[in-house]
C-alpha cells in the first residue's frame, strides 16, 4: 500500500535550480510529484491497483506511422552514439499508431516548447536564453549552470545530426522543447525531406 515517489536523477544540477526551472517550465510541480499526488489521492478508493500514471496525447486526422518510424531511427541513433563513445543526448518517447489517421503520443513531462518558455511569466524580458539559464541555474561559473549548459549543448548537437540526416520539415519554436535540466528535444516529425530529386555527389 506504499507509493514510492520517483524522480529523474538530478546530476550536477542542484535542487534549488530544478525548482526554479519547474516554476518557469511547468508551473512549479514536477511530473513525479504530480503523479505521486494523484496516486496518493486514489490509493484508498475501491478501484483496481494503479501502478503508474502515464500522460498521453490522442491525435486524430494525422498519420503517425511516419512519426513511429522517425522515433525508431532516433532510438537507433542513440545506440550508434553510445557505441561510438559520444556523449550526445537524444530523447525517445512512445508513439502508437492505432489507424491511418489516429494514434497516441506520450507527453514529454517536465518540459515545454521554446515558444511556451518565452511566453511564460518567469522568462526574462531581456537577455534571452542565456539570461534564463543564469537566472535559473545560477551564475556562469556555478556547477548547475555548467551542467545545464552542457545538457543544452549535447542535446542540441545530437538533434542537429539527426535533423541533418533525416531532414524533418517545419522546425520552429513550437516543436522544439526544453526540459528542466536544459536539454532540447525535437518533436512532431510529420514530414521529412524527400531525397528523390537531390543530386548524388
Amino acid at each position: 500500500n506504499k507509493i514510492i515517489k520517483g524522480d529523474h536523477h538530478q546530476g550536477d544540477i542542484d535542487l534549488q535550480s530544478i525548482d526554479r526551472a519547474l516554476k518557469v517550465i511547468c508551473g512549479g510541480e514536477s511530473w513525479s510529484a504530480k503523479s505521486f499526488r494523484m496516486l496518493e489521492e486514489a490509493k484508498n478508493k475501491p478501484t483496481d491497483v494503479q501502478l503508474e500514471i502515464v500522460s498521453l496525447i490522442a491525435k486524430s486526422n494525422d498519420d503517425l506511422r511516419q512519426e513511429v518510424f522517425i522515433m525508431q531511427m532516433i532510438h537507433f541513433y542513440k545506440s550508434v552514439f553510445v557505441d561510438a563513445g559520444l556523449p550526445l543526448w537524444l530523447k525517445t518517447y512512445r508513439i502508437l499508431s492505432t489507424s491511418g489517421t489516429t494514434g497516441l503520443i506520450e507527453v514529454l513531462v517536465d518540459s515545454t516548447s521554446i515558444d511556451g518558455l518565452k511566453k511564460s511569466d518567469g522568462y526574462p524580458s531581456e537577455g534571452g536564453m542565456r539570461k534564463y539559464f543564469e537566472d535559473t541555474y545560477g551564475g556562469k561559473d556555478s556547477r548547475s549552470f555548467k551542467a545545464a549548459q552542457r545538457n543544452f549543448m549535447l542535446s542540441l548537437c545530437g538533434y542537429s545530426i539527426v535533423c541533418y540526416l533525416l531532414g524533418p520539415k517545419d522546425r520552429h519554436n513550437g516543436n522544439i522543447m526544453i526540459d528542466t535540466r536544459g536539454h532540447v528535444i525535437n518533436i512532431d516529425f510529420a514530414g521529412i525531406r524527400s531525397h528523390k530529386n537531390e543530386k548524388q555527389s
Side-chain angles (χ1 to χ4, degrees):
N1 221 16
K2 186 176 181 182
I3 298 170
I4 299 172
K5 183 178 175 182
D7 206 351
H8 299 293
H9 176 62
Q10 72 185 63
D12 289 334
I13 301 177
D14 62 76
L15 291 176
Q16 292 81 13
S17 296
I18 296 296
D19 287 341
R20 286 192 294 271
L22 283 168
K23 287 176 186 171
V24 179
I25 288 179
C26 45
E29 188 177 29
S30 70
W31 175 251
S32 62
K34 186 180 291 185
S35 58
F36 178 81
R37 176 174 49 79
M38 289 188 281
L39 288 170
E40 276 288 326
E41 291 169 358
K43 76 176 182 181
N44 294 322
K45 295 181 181 177
T47 58
D48 293 334
V49 175
Q50 177 70 49
L51 299 177
E52 183 183 6
I53 297 174
V54 179
S55 183
L56 300 169
I57 296 171
K59 210 164 182 185
S60 60
N61 300 318
D62 203 356
D63 188 348
L64 294 183
R65 288 174 293 184
Q66 184 168 273
E67 296 251 7
V68 172
F69 170 70
I70 296 294
M71 196 52 55
Q72 290 170 341
M73 291 303 299
I74 290 173
H75 188 271
F76 170 73
Y77 290 136
K78 277 181 74 169
S79 65
V80 170
F81 294 157
V82 169
D83 288 344
L86 298 172
L88 303 181
W89 189 93
L90 297 170
K91 170 75 175 174
T92 53
Y93 51 91
R94 291 171 281 189
I95 304 172
L96 176 64
S97 177
T98 54
S99 76
T101 59
T102 60
L104 300 171
I105 302 176
E106 180 184 1
V107 172
L108 296 177
V109 299
D110 297 342
S111 61
T112 188
S113 67
I114 299 292
D115 182 58
L117 175 71
K118 291 184 174 184
K119 290 177 179 174
S120 66
D121 292 336
Y123 192 77
S125 56
E126 293 182 2
M129 290 288 285
R130 172 68 184 224
K131 185 70 166 63
Y132 162 72
F133 268 64
E134 288 178 352
D135 290 349
T136 303
Y137 303 107
K140 63 179 182 178
D141 296 321
S142 73
R143 181 177 175 179
S144 291
F145 176 87
K146 288 179 179 178
Q149 186 183 49
R150 179 175 170 79
N151 290 343
F152 184 88
M153 181 265 297
L154 292 176
S155 57
L156 184 63
C157 290
Y159 278 105
S160 294
I161 293 170
V162 166
C163 288
Y164 175 77
L165 294 171
L166 297 178
K169 301 175 181 177
D170 198 29
R171 297 294 87 198
H172 54 75
N173 284 349
N175 57 29
I176 300 174
M177 310 285 283
I178 187 165
D179 70 11
T180 54
R181 284 154 177 80
H183 299 107
V184 293
I185 308 161
N186 276 241
I187 62 169
D188 194 3
F189 298 97
I192 58 173
R193 176 179 63 214
S194 172
H195 294 277
K196 284 194 297 184
N197 299 324
E198 292 183 8
K199 294 181 180 178
Q200 300 293 322
S201 56

